[in-house]
Amino acid sequence: MTSNKIVGSTLIVAGTALGGGMLALPLASAGLGFYTAAFLIIANWGLMTYTALLMLEIHQHAEQDATLNSLAKNLLGRPGQYLATFASFFLFYALCAAYIAGGGSQLTHKINELMSLELTPQFGAILLTIIVATVVSIGTHSVDIVNRVLFSVKIIVLALTLSLLFPHVEAINLLEMPVQQGLLLSALPVIFTSFGFHGSIPSIVRYVGIDIKTLKKVMICGASAPLVIYLLWQVATQGVLSQTDLMANNSLTSFIASLSSVLQQPQVSQSVSVFADLALATSFLGVSLGLFDLLSGMMKRTNSSINPINSSDDSSDSSGTHSGTNTDSKLHRVKTALVTFLPPLAFALFYPQGFIAALGYAAIALVILAIFLPVAMVSKQRKTQVSGYRVVGGNTTLVLASLMGCLIIASQFLQMADVIPAVG
């Protein structure tokens, strides 16, 4: 196992979680106070890291190229497989469509500004899709390389933004108490989805191999990077703006404008805008990689996105048979890429509001994928597998994780019913 793959896999996990949702955290936690918001962030980090380790416990007894779909089928039968498939497709396609619509619009805007053109948002959506589809279809190794570059630049931009904000942090703002206790429940789904990287776990296992010790480091370190960054971001934003100011902003645009106005520094809005673009790109890469490999497994292609890695890492036969197999593999990767990217592109182009509305249910789909399915599969597997790696906590922790998932779903439905305020 090369350290290159370990670092790259860790950054894929971190980059997938550390998306544009981070910018919504101050809005989602407005009115909670810093310490209550920090508690929720740490609690959700613990929950999502725990269920990621549950996925590793499941993967250790499966094939290296197993997908969530095949794992659910083997352990939970057809009903589990259908649930996993529906939740995966709903979440992945909705996220990809949102990334294409939002990222395409931003890309078009920047091209028009730079080159004095008048291109439509549809052009940017198509161009962004082609770029990401090319990177993902080449293989996990290419996603690794591109993600490293984007993640590194993103951290530099974030450091610049924080350096502009931290000198203006006021302790009195961080010590404010929650305005309303019910807001804690409202903020829960947004904070929960900010740690959503579980769709990329099967791809990471394929890339790294079934080495539990290494994979544990990847999951824990990959999830911990967003935790540290989220807490720093909360200190910066909730320390600069009072809870009253935060709650007065009902959109990301007005929130960024408030920061720039208070600090009287236009560089803040520029750096936050660049960070948002980079965060979207790394999340899009991670989510689409997970969808690509899921579809690849369902299309009976056990060697799809990791073939290029094997070709470069391992000595291979140079015979004509190998060349034919490699050509066939490339053809099937192209087919998988079309199935992966064309549906969300079409919806982003022709029905953007429908998919944007569907994102309201993203937390529910993520609860199914990241909590309910891992808990159910581990519970079933532990009845037959008595050896190997087991996540600490036993059945008590499994029950607590399930209850937390139910609470998140209840919170989402209560917001949709206008019983509690919708945030973020």
Side-chain angles (χ1 to χ4, degrees):
M1 174 56 55
T2 64
S3 58
N4 249 349
K5 282 190 177 182
I6 298 173
V7 172
S9 300
T10 302
L11 293 182
I12 289 176
V13 170
T16 304
L18 190 61
M22 167 186 154
L23 302 176
L25 286 180
L27 299 179
S29 58
L32 285 179
F34 169 73
Y35 289 103
T36 304
F39 168 77
L40 271 184
I41 291 172
I42 294 171
N44 279 277
W45 165 79
L47 172 66
M48 295 297 265
T49 303
Y50 170 73
T51 57
L53 296 179
L54 289 182
M55 287 301 300
L56 299 186
E57 181 177 334
I58 297 164
H59 271 284
Q60 70 178 325
H61 299 295
E63 297 294 330
Q64 181 173 328
D65 58 359
T67 63
L68 181 61
N69 182 285
S70 63
L71 291 172
K73 179 182 178 181
N74 293 338
L75 290 168
L76 303 176
R78 290 290 182 184
Q81 180 188 19
Y82 294 150
L83 180 62
T85 301
F86 175 78
S88 298
F89 283 157
F90 185 94
L91 179 64
F92 288 159
Y93 276 131
L95 289 176
C96 285
Y99 290 146
I100 290 171
S105 177
Q106 287 293 95
L107 181 60
T108 301
H109 177 70
K110 285 179 169 52
I111 292 176
N112 287 341
E113 275 193 341
L114 184 64
M115 305 181 68
S116 300
L117 299 175
E118 295 183 2
L119 301 172
T120 64
Q122 287 80 2
F123 173 84
I126 294 171
L127 178 60
L128 177 65
T129 302
I130 291 173
I131 294 172
V132 174
T134 301
V135 174
V136 171
S137 59
I138 290 174
T140 307
H141 184 57
S142 64
V143 175
D144 177 2
I145 294 173
V146 173
N147 183 74
R148 288 189 199 206
V149 175
L150 294 178
F151 192 88
S152 299
V153 177
K154 183 166 67 174
I155 294 301
I156 293 172
V157 173
L158 178 61
L160 174 62
T161 305
L162 292 177
S163 69
L164 294 173
L165 294 175
F166 265 98
H168 301 275
V169 169
E170 296 183 13
I172 191 172
N173 290 337
L174 298 175
L175 295 174
E176 289 183 311
M177 298 298 291
V179 174
Q180 181 182 343
Q181 292 298 333
L183 293 175
L184 187 146
L185 197 60
S186 298
L188 192 54
V190 175
I191 296 176
F192 169 73
T193 54
S194 297
F195 287 99
F197 60 87
H198 293 58
S200 63
I201 291 178
S203 300
I204 297 298
V205 173
R206 285 187 178 198
Y207 189 37
V208 173
I210 304 178
D211 180 345
I212 298 301
K213 184 177 180 181
T214 298
L215 288 170
K216 282 174 60 180
K217 292 179 182 178
V218 168
M219 297 303 151
I220 294 172
C221 294
S224 297
L227 170 66
V228 173
I229 291 172
Y230 290 160
L231 291 176
L232 291 174
W233 180 242
Q234 290 296 111
V235 170
T237 55
Q238 290 189 301
V240 169
L241 298 176
S242 67
Q243 289 193 78
T244 303
D245 292 333
L246 279 172
M247 295 181 72
N249 296 292
N250 56 9
S251 71
L252 180 60
T253 302
S254 62
F255 164 64
I256 296 173
S258 294
L259 286 176
S260 299
S261 175
V262 169
L263 303 181
Q264 296 183 343
Q265 291 179 316
Q267 301 96 316
V268 172
S269 60
Q270 295 169 2
S271 59
V272 171
S273 175
V274 173
F275 176 84
D277 294 340
L278 294 169
L280 184 147
T282 55
S283 287
F284 189 13
L285 281 170
V287 169
S288 57
L289 175 64
L291 176 58
F292 182 93
D293 281 340
L294 174 64
L295 286 166
S296 173
M298 292 181 66
M299 294 170 71
K300 309 298 183 183
R301 298 304 302 173
T302 57
N303 257 333
S304 61
S305 64
I306 86 170
N307 264 347
I309 302 167
N310 289 342
S311 301
S312 61
D313 288 351
D314 303 330
S315 57
S316 56
D317 186 2
S318 59
S319 65
T321 302
H322 175 81
S323 176
T325 302
N326 192 45
T327 302
D328 181 65
S329 176
K330 289 180 179 179
L331 177 62
H332 281 278
R333 286 199 300 277
V334 171
K335 291 180 180 178
T336 305
L338 291 175
V339 179
T340 300
F341 291 98
L342 283 183
L345 175 61
F347 277 100
L349 292 176
F350 301 109
Y351 308 103
Q353 296 306 316
F355 257 93
I356 291 172
L359 286 176
Y361 297 91
I364 298 173
L366 186 58
V367 166
I368 294 172
L369 292 176
I371 299 180
F372 290 161
L373 283 174
V375 167
M377 289 190 289
V378 162
S379 298
K380 184 68 178 292
Q381 183 171 269
R382 286 179 180 178
K383 295 177 180 178
T384 57
Q385 299 288 348
V386 295
S387 61
Y389 167 66
R390 281 200 179 192
V391 185
V392 298
N395 292 332
T396 301
T397 315
L398 294 178
V399 172
L400 290 175
S402 299
L403 291 175
M404 190 68 174
C406 292
L407 183 62
I408 295 168
I409 289 179
S411 172
Q412 189 68 52
F413 278 122
L414 289 173
Q415 289 186 55
M416 292 174 181
D418 292 327
V419 176
I420 59 176
V423 296

